[in-house]
């Protein structure tokens, strides 16, 4: 599988999970199955012929644009700063404001990225503080920190542009910009480790994937000794999710046993559950990831980013590629991350 296929698979897979889940994000499971039938939502709910992305994919694109902006300074790129500035630009698109200071992201000019798609309150409040020159203060572990970081391991893995641990640190610090509870940013580091490894190996088996999860958790313990208790909590939830994938209960029941996905550790654990249950089958996995009464777009997005890297763009179901908002822009951004 060519790298470009993995890059495109990661970002389009994430957008597909996001768009599928966005239609049911604020419905409980009973309402989802009542509206869409016994299998839940399985195809996009189109608005004027378009499968709309949420703030998850919007912020993912701004993460990528921030990395690319920072990379222009080849002698001393400050990726954390570039991402932070890009997030402030995203914030400005959400409040309909232009700024002469924050104007480096070309995607901020796109009409589709100037629409509010249920932006997370913690992200908005934190970025408002940064825009005003204040330090954000919160103890949030919401999933708004993890749903946007997939471009970081993609960018880092190109010719080992960054080491895997540096990619993990950057993913964690990019999430900590807005979500400052350790479980708001530690899962991002683990996701970064998983995606980086999936990029490194041409074909990864389910056993490989489980090893990436285990090894990533072990590395987190070494990298963040001050957060050992929280790494332990993340480890317990991930291990629970993997065990649940082997039982005979329905996906809805198993996901309810993990949580709603409103927090970052739950979002990642739900994604891991769906990946282990349906490894290599993105369609079944993403349908499971969004058909529950929790944060469906974020669980779908993170699942899609990870499993999309496994299967690649060409193997994604055609109906998940058609009609998705900003499809060509997302492909362009994936290609830029690889080629810069």
């Amino acid at each position: 599988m060519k790298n470009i296929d993995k890059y495109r698979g990661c970002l389009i897979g994430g957008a597909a999970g996001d768009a599928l889940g966005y239609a049911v994000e604020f419905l409980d499971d009973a309402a989802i199955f009542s509206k869409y039938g016994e299998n839940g939502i399985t195809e996009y709910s189109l608005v004027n012929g378009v499968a709309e992305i949420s703030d998850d994919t919007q912020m993912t694109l701004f993460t990528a644009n921030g990395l690319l902006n920072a990379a222009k300074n080849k002698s001393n790129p400050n990726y954390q700063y570039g991402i932070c500035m890009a997030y402030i630009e995203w914030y400005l698109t959400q409040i309909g404001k232009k700024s002469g200071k924050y104007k480096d992201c070309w995607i901020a000019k796109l009409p589709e990225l100037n629409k509010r798609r249920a932006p997370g309150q913690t992200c908005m409040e934190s970025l408002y503080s940064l825009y005003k020159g204040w330090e954000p203060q919160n103890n949030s572990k919401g999933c708004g920190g993890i749903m946007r970081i997939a471009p970081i391991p993609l960018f880092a893995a190109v010719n080992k542009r960054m080491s895997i641990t540096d990619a993990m640190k950057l993913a964690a610090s990019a999430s900590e910009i807005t979500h400052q509870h350790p479980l708001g940013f530690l899962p991002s580091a683990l996701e970064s480790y998983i995606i980086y490894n999936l990029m490194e190996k041409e074909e990864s088996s389910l056993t490989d994937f489980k090893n990436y999860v285990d090894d990533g958790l072990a590395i987190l313990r070494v990298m963040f000794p001050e957060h050992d208790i929280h790494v332990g909590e993340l480890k317990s939830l991930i291990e629970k999710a993997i065990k649940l994938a082997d039982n005979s209960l329905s996906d809805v029941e198993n996901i309810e046993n993990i949580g709603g996905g409103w927090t970052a550790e739950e979002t990642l654990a739900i994604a891991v559950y769906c990946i282990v249950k349906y490894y290599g089958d993105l369609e079944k996995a993403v349908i499971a990831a969004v058909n529950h009464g929790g944060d469906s777009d974020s669980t779908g997005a993170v699942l899609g980013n990870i499993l999309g890297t496994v299967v690649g763009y060409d193997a994604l179901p055609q109906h998940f590629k058609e009609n998705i908002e900003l499809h060509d822009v997302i492909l362009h951004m994936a290609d830029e991350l690889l080629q810069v």
Side-chain angles (χ1 to χ4, degrees):
M1 185 189 299
K2 293 181 180 178
N3 265 347
I4 196 167
D5 193 44
K6 285 176 170 279
Y7 275 66
R8 291 178 168 186
C10 177
L11 293 194
I12 292 291
D18 176 27
L20 191 70
Y22 182 47
V24 297
E25 178 182 12
F26 299 112
L27 300 178
D28 62 28
D29 55 327
I32 293 171
F33 292 106
S34 174
K35 182 174 182 178
Y36 293 99
E38 62 180 358
N39 296 319
I41 188 169
T42 59
E43 297 184 356
Y44 293 139
S45 180
L46 302 180
V47 179
N48 297 320
V50 173
E52 292 182 338
I53 58 171
S54 81
D55 60 318
D56 296 32
T57 302
Q58 287 181 344
M59 293 197 77
T60 298
L61 289 170
F62 275 89
T63 301
N65 210 156
L67 284 166
L68 295 169
N69 288 341
K72 293 175 184 176
N73 183 351
K74 296 187 182 299
S75 61
N76 188 30
N78 188 334
Y79 297 118
Q80 170 77 358
Y81 178 81
I83 291 169
C84 185
M85 295 302 100
Y87 289 164
I88 295 174
E89 284 201 57
W90 170 80
Y91 166 76
L92 293 172
T93 68
Q94 301 299 290
I95 63 171
K97 188 169 184 176
K98 304 295 181 185
S99 169
K101 180 179 179 182
Y102 303 102
K103 55 184 173 66
D104 293 333
C105 290
W106 67 270
I107 59 172
K109 299 181 177 71
L110 299 173
E112 297 90 340
L113 291 177
N114 282 267
K115 295 179 179 178
R116 287 177 71 104
R117 299 286 172 73
Q121 183 177 350
T122 302
C123 286
M124 294 293 286
E125 291 176 351
S126 297
L127 295 172
Y128 169 77
S129 294
L130 286 167
Y131 177 62
K132 289 294 187 179
W134 310 327
E135 284 294 320
Q137 299 289 333
N138 67 59
N139 193 36
S140 175
K141 58 177 183 173
C143 62
I146 191 173
M147 50 70 164
R148 65 194 192 216
I149 63 90
I152 294 172
L154 295 184
F155 180 83
V158 180
N159 299 321
K160 297 190 183 297
R161 197 182 267 138
M162 298 179 205
S163 69
I164 196 164
T165 52
D166 284 345
M168 294 171 73
K169 289 175 185 174
L170 181 58
S173 61
S175 295
E176 195 176 5
I177 290 170
T178 55
H179 291 72
Q180 295 171 348
H181 189 287
L183 285 173
F185 57 82
L186 292 172
S188 297
L190 179 56
E191 183 190 355
S192 185
Y193 181 86
I194 293 166
I195 292 177
Y196 192 109
N197 274 290
L198 292 171
M199 290 302 309
E200 288 279 275
K201 191 168 182 179
E202 186 172 347
E203 300 287 344
S204 295
S205 66
L206 175 57
T207 299
D208 291 327
F209 173 77
K210 289 180 177 179
N211 288 337
Y212 301 154
V213 172
D214 289 343
D215 294 346
L217 286 164
I219 291 171
L220 278 184
R221 280 225 142 99
V222 175
M223 289 178 62
F224 298 95
E226 70 278 23
H227 300 310
D228 189 68
I229 291 175
H230 297 300
V231 175
E233 291 173 353
L234 176 61
K235 184 174 188 289
S236 294
L237 189 61
I238 294 286
E239 289 176 344
K240 177 181 180 179
I242 291 172
K243 288 180 181 177
L244 287 171
D246 287 333
N247 70 26
S248 59
L249 297 177
S250 70
D251 291 326
V252 174
E253 291 172 300
N254 282 327
I255 288 171
E256 284 180 351
N257 282 330
I258 296 168
W262 300 107
T263 61
E265 79 275 22
E266 290 177 358
T267 294
L268 183 57
I270 290 169
V272 168
Y273 163 81
C274 295
I275 291 166
V276 173
K277 181 82 174 281
Y278 300 110
Y279 193 78
D281 191 332
L282 185 134
E283 183 164 17
K284 287 183 179 179
V286 79
I287 288 170
V290 305
N291 280 292
H292 59 90
D295 198 347
S296 299
D297 59 337
S298 294
T299 53
V302 173
L303 175 281
N305 286 141
I306 298 172
L307 200 53
T309 309
V310 173
V311 304
Y313 175 79
D314 289 345
L316 295 178
Q318 187 61 32
H319 67 94
F320 282 162
K321 293 186 268 193
E322 293 173 349
N323 300 316
I324 194 162
E325 191 172 33
L326 294 176
H327 173 275
D328 292 349
V329 171
I330 297 168
L331 284 191
H332 175 79
M333 197 64 81
D335 296 354
E336 286 287 296
L337 290 169
L338 174 60
Q339 296 169 6
V340 68

